[in-house]
Amino acid sequence: MQFAFGDTNEMGVTAVLILPLLLLGISGLLFIYQEVSRLWSKSAVQNKVVVITDAISGLGKECARVFHTGGARLVLCGKNWERLENLYDALISVADPSKTFTPKLVLLDLSDISCVQDVAKEVLDCYGCVDILLNNASVKIKGPAHKISLELDKKIMDANYFGPITLTKALLPNMISRRTGQIVLINNIQGKLGIPFRTAYAASKHAALGFFDCLRAEVEEYDVVVSTVSPTFIRSYCIHPGQGHWEASIWKFFFRKLTYGVHPVDLAEEVMRTVRRKKQEVFMANPIPKAAVYIRTFFPEFFFAVVACGVKDKLNVPEEG
């Protein structure tokens, strides 16, 4: 009995010692994996010519930071020159000049289709090629369909659909001739399902996703990669979602979860991983939005009923102001 009791004590002590060592070992492996991934990410974009549209947005700035640190030759596009210069100063001030390249700034408003070809020519004349095109520009609008003018619908389509595909078409022949390149579209969950009061925005995102899905198959033989990254919403730096909880109705819980966005820092890191691994499609969302996409596909009547309940409830609430 004493011998058995002694063995039990020894086993207990061994278990107590092994557990911390096991946790330490796992932590060490995770650290090594993260460092290797970070270095791999840098090598994936080092010396590459990377064009980022709407680089002055929250996500654009974070992507610029990540790719600049990785040693990419950045072409930063935006429609406000002062904000482009501020981004330029921020990048230069924190980067190692011996390991990074000076970014090129380009004024570009993608809703003005007429200037896109000239911008593409300017970039190709400067660098001779484009290795990665990051289509990040996007314009949002919210309101009932019957209150949004057709002119505004067209402007949204120009900014979110015709602008990105015009720039893509202008740069694509260079990629095809070199048999290398990657095109990344930052899209949105509304490219997969529609949410009330965002008809023009959802339509433009559906159109963009359809175009780049088709393009992916067309250019595969030329070793050109097409990637789409679709978050729910891109959250601002200062807003943090609170704890979700079951509310009085299904739709309130459903749409509260849909609006929980992704932080720009996290999304920029995912964009870098997408480029490094040459992923074709990434959907960044918590389980509720992911479930919504599947429900829309397999149980459309239920999805439409939940959406309709949300609209009716919203219309019964007086608008502020």
Side-chain angles (χ1 to χ4, degrees):
M1 292 294 292
Q2 289 181 347
F3 178 75
F5 182 72
D7 282 351
T8 301
N9 283 341
E10 288 180 6
M11 290 175 63
V13 171
T14 302
V16 169
L17 292 174
I18 287 177
L19 185 58
L21 291 174
L22 184 61
L23 292 174
L24 183 63
I26 293 173
S27 300
L29 289 173
L30 287 173
F31 175 77
I32 293 172
Y33 173 77
Q34 289 174 350
E35 286 300 302
V36 170
S37 296
R38 183 176 60 83
L39 294 173
W40 189 14
S41 295
K42 287 186 176 182
S43 65
V45 300
Q46 194 168 19
N47 298 322
K48 302 289 186 182
V49 179
V50 180
V51 177
I52 302 177
T53 62
D54 196 15
I56 55 179
S57 66
L59 175 59
K61 290 177 183 177
E62 292 302 330
C63 286
R65 176 187 59 80
V66 171
F67 281 86
H68 185 63
T69 305
R73 300 173 185 264
L74 286 183
V75 180
L76 304 176
C77 305
K79 54 186 179 182
N80 184 300
W81 187 255
E82 183 179 355
R83 292 176 65 186
L84 279 173
E85 288 184 326
N86 290 339
L87 174 58
Y88 175 93
D89 293 339
L91 293 175
I92 295 299
S93 64
V94 297
D96 184 348
S98 65
K99 297 180 181 179
T100 58
F101 296 93
T102 303
K104 176 179 175 59
L105 306 183
V106 177
L107 268 177
L108 174 62
D109 182 358
L110 278 179
S111 62
D112 182 6
I113 307 300
S114 61
C115 71
V116 175
Q117 292 284 352
D118 292 336
V119 168
K121 185 177 184 303
E122 179 183 347
V123 173
L124 292 176
D125 287 345
C126 179
Y127 290 107
C129 68
V130 169
D131 297 296
I132 300 166
L133 169 60
L134 179 55
N135 284 305
N136 172 55
S138 182
V139 175
K140 298 178 181 178
I141 186 172
K142 181 180 179 181
H146 65 281
K147 292 185 178 180
I148 297 175
S149 67
L150 187 58
E151 181 183 1
L152 192 51
D153 283 332
K154 290 178 178 178
K155 286 184 179 179
I156 297 298
M157 287 298 293
D158 281 344
N160 296 354
Y161 174 70
F162 286 109
I165 74 165
T166 302
L167 182 58
T168 298
K169 286 186 174 186
L171 298 175
L172 187 59
N174 179 270
M175 292 183 178
I176 290 176
S177 65
R178 296 170 59 239
R179 301 190 70 87
T180 183
Q182 185 166 5
I183 300 165
V184 182
L185 170 70
I186 306 299
N187 209 46
N188 187 274
I189 188 176
Q190 292 182 65
K192 293 178 174 291
L193 55 85
I195 297 177
F197 306 110
R198 293 175 176 87
T199 50
Y201 181 71
S204 66
K205 292 300 181 179
H206 271 76
L209 187 63
F211 176 89
F212 285 98
D213 279 352
C214 294
L215 182 65
R216 179 184 296 114
E218 292 182 20
V219 299
E220 184 178 2
E221 63 175 305
Y222 303 109
D223 296 324
V224 176
V225 179
V226 176
S227 306
T228 56
V229 180
S230 300
T232 45
F233 295 93
I234 300 175
R235 192 182 347 138
S236 67
Y237 290 94
C238 57
I239 298 175
H240 298 276
Q243 292 293 326
H245 58 276
W246 288 98
E247 297 189 35
S249 61
I250 295 177
W251 81 267
K252 283 185 178 180
F253 172 77
F254 188 73
F255 283 105
R256 276 173 60 88
K257 289 293 184 180
L258 278 179
T259 57
Y260 285 0
V262 180
H263 198 281
V265 173
D266 298 330
L267 186 51
E269 294 291 343
E270 184 59 44
V271 171
M272 175 62 87
R273 284 191 291 271
T274 299
V275 169
R276 185 188 74 212
R277 299 175 183 174
K278 299 187 183 301
K279 294 180 181 179
Q280 294 182 331
E281 184 176 43
V282 176
F283 183 35
M284 289 190 71
N286 64 43
I288 298 297
K290 288 183 178 179
V293 174
Y294 288 107
I295 292 171
R296 168 64 179 84
T297 303
F298 297 106
F299 306 99
E301 292 185 1
F302 174 74
F303 178 83
F304 296 147
V306 172
V307 171
C309 286
V311 173
K312 290 176 183 177
D313 191 272
K314 182 177 179 62
L315 292 176
N316 288 332
V317 177
E319 294 185 3
E320 295 182 2

